[in-house]
Amino acid sequence: MKRRKFLKNSAAGSAGLISASLVVSCKQESNILPTNQKNLKSIKPIVICTWDFHNASAKAWEVLKDGGSSLDAVEQGVRIEEADINNQTVGIGGRPDRDGNVTLDACIMDKDGNCGAVLCMQNIAHPVTVARKVMEDTPHVMLAGKGAEHFAYEKGFKKTNLLTEKSKAEWQEWKKTSQYKPIINIENHDTIGMLAIDSNGDISGACTTSGMAYKIGGRVGDSPIIGAGLFVDNEVGGATATGVGEEVVRTVGSFLIVELMRQGKSPQEACEEGVKRIIEKNKDKVDFQIGFIAVNKQGETGGYCIHPGFSYRVYSENGHINHPSAAYIKT
Ligand code: ASP
């Protein structure tokens, strides 16, 4: 028996010793919804992702409308961007670090709070799928660097050159000045974070990136960090982030947003509060971009960012819509 399953079964076994009344009272607790979440007709299935990654949201929707799970939907959805060599911020074709190495970060989280992540992994084209294998086939949550890469080979992934001619040429040009200046929206860092609710009402999320262009080798941002770049709680909702990962890590942004929703804020209000926490920590120097998106258990969505220019895609029975996000800084 696989260790994770063994652990789960043991946990389930001991849970069986807990009295029935305790189980009943836990169930009642979980039905206590914040007032703004009562009496709403749930929108499901639904998928939401950062930026205008419409091919990715369309793929996830295809999985969901065929009755697939939210976990399969987010994995299949973000893989579209990982495979797109013209997307220089995710997967193959991503911009390299300052030494010319493309290093990828990704994580995934399911309805039961299981999660997996790979950090700073080279030569593997689909980090989100490796992250899912970490979640499903190991007792761990995160694998980094060479360990992650070797694990991927063990699982049958092929060694792939991730540095395309285009990204290589741009990196060589960058090396002439070697100036590291993240530009606010354009576009040396644009993670895809995706959240989905399936027709059973279960929520999952995934997040994948090549991180900051020309970063110091070994740098990891928020995107593969559960709680920072992504968090899902099937009782409440999910949130995910894009932008300068260091700032998202400092506030554990996605976890914060889910907790704010638990306390009764709408996804929109929670994303706004998440951005404000970052502003508070940076007072006079918000010369960077962060965008948060969130969905609650009822399928309400929200998004908010620091600087104008961020948008997010939502796909549900109400259509496939790109929402320009409201921003903290108005001009
Ligand atoms: N959050 C990513 C990182 O810091 C980059 C991005 O979303 O643009 O690595």
Side-chain angles (χ1 to χ4, degrees), residues 13-272:
S14 19
L17 300 174
I18 298 172
S19 75
S21 64
L22 184 56
V23 171
V24 168
S25 83
C26 287
K27 276 214 161 127
Q28 283 165 348
E29 278 292 302
S30 72
N31 286 337
I32 300 170
L33 282 175
T35 41
N36 70 341
Q37 294 181 19
K38 281 182 181 159
N39 305 323
L40 286 173
K41 183 185 173 294
S42 294
I43 302 169
K44 65 180 184 193
I46 187 169
V47 58
I48 175 171
C49 69
T50 54
W51 304 103
D52 191 12
F53 290 128
H54 53 92
N55 292 329
S57 45
K59 179 69 196 181
W61 176 253
E62 199 182 297
V63 174
L64 293 171
K65 81 169 176 3
D66 289 346
S69 71
S70 55
L71 187 64
D72 287 339
V74 293
E75 182 194 4
Q76 293 302 317
V78 303
R79 277 175 62 103
I80 296 290
E81 294 307 319
E82 289 183 339
D84 180 358
I85 57 167
N86 295 315
N87 181 340
Q88 292 179 282
T89 56
V90 179
I92 189 165
R95 293 191 178 88
D97 66 17
R98 66 182 186 182
D99 304 316
N101 299 311
V102 180
T103 67
L104 303 181
D105 305 323
C107 71
I108 193 160
M109 191 163 190
D110 76 5
K111 66 183 171 60
D112 298 314
N114 296 314
C115 44
V118 291
L119 291 67
C120 202
M121 185 176 68
Q122 294 183 49
N123 301 315
I124 305 289
H126 283 298
V128 73
T129 300
V130 185
R132 184 167 175 177
K133 295 259 178 240
V134 173
M135 174 175 89
E136 290 178 342
D137 295 356
T138 83
H140 306 306
V141 168
M142 291 190 241
L143 293 180
K146 284 287 165 215
E149 190 179 336
H150 288 146
F151 171 74
Y153 296 140
E154 260 176 45
K155 291 289 164 188
F157 289 76
K158 297 272 167 306
K159 184 167 185 169
T160 306
N161 175 22
L162 302 176
L163 186 62
T164 54
E165 283 309 314
K166 184 171 185 227
S167 288
K168 187 174 176 184
E170 287 181 10
W171 165 66
Q172 282 165 340
E173 193 57 33
W174 171 83
K175 276 206 297 180
K176 291 181 185 161
T177 53
S178 296
Q179 288 217 336
Y180 183 60
K181 281 193 188 152
I183 310 163
I184 283 172
N185 281 312
I186 334 173
E187 292 303 355
N188 72 0
H189 56 93
D190 278 343
T191 299
I192 180 162
M194 180 178 278
L195 306 159
I197 307 182
D198 58 31
S199 34
N200 290 330
D202 289 325
I203 311 170
S204 302
C207 189
T208 178
T209 191
S210 53
M212 296 283 197
Y214 320 133
K215 60 199 171 187
I216 297 173
R219 178 267 184 190
V220 173
D222 60 318
S223 305
I225 308 295
I226 295 295
L230 174 75
F231 196 72
V232 168
D233 183 323
N234 203 37
E235 296 275 307
V236 178
T240 186
T242 180
V244 176
E246 284 74 3
E247 299 300 333
V248 179
V249 170
R250 289 171 76 202
T251 52
V252 202
S254 294
F255 180 73
L256 171 67
I257 288 168
V258 172
E259 287 307 300
L260 289 167
M261 291 194 290
R262 189 193 306 281
Q263 289 163 23
K265 288 204 186 305
S266 69
Q268 183 60 35
E269 291 165 342
C271 288
E272 290 179 18

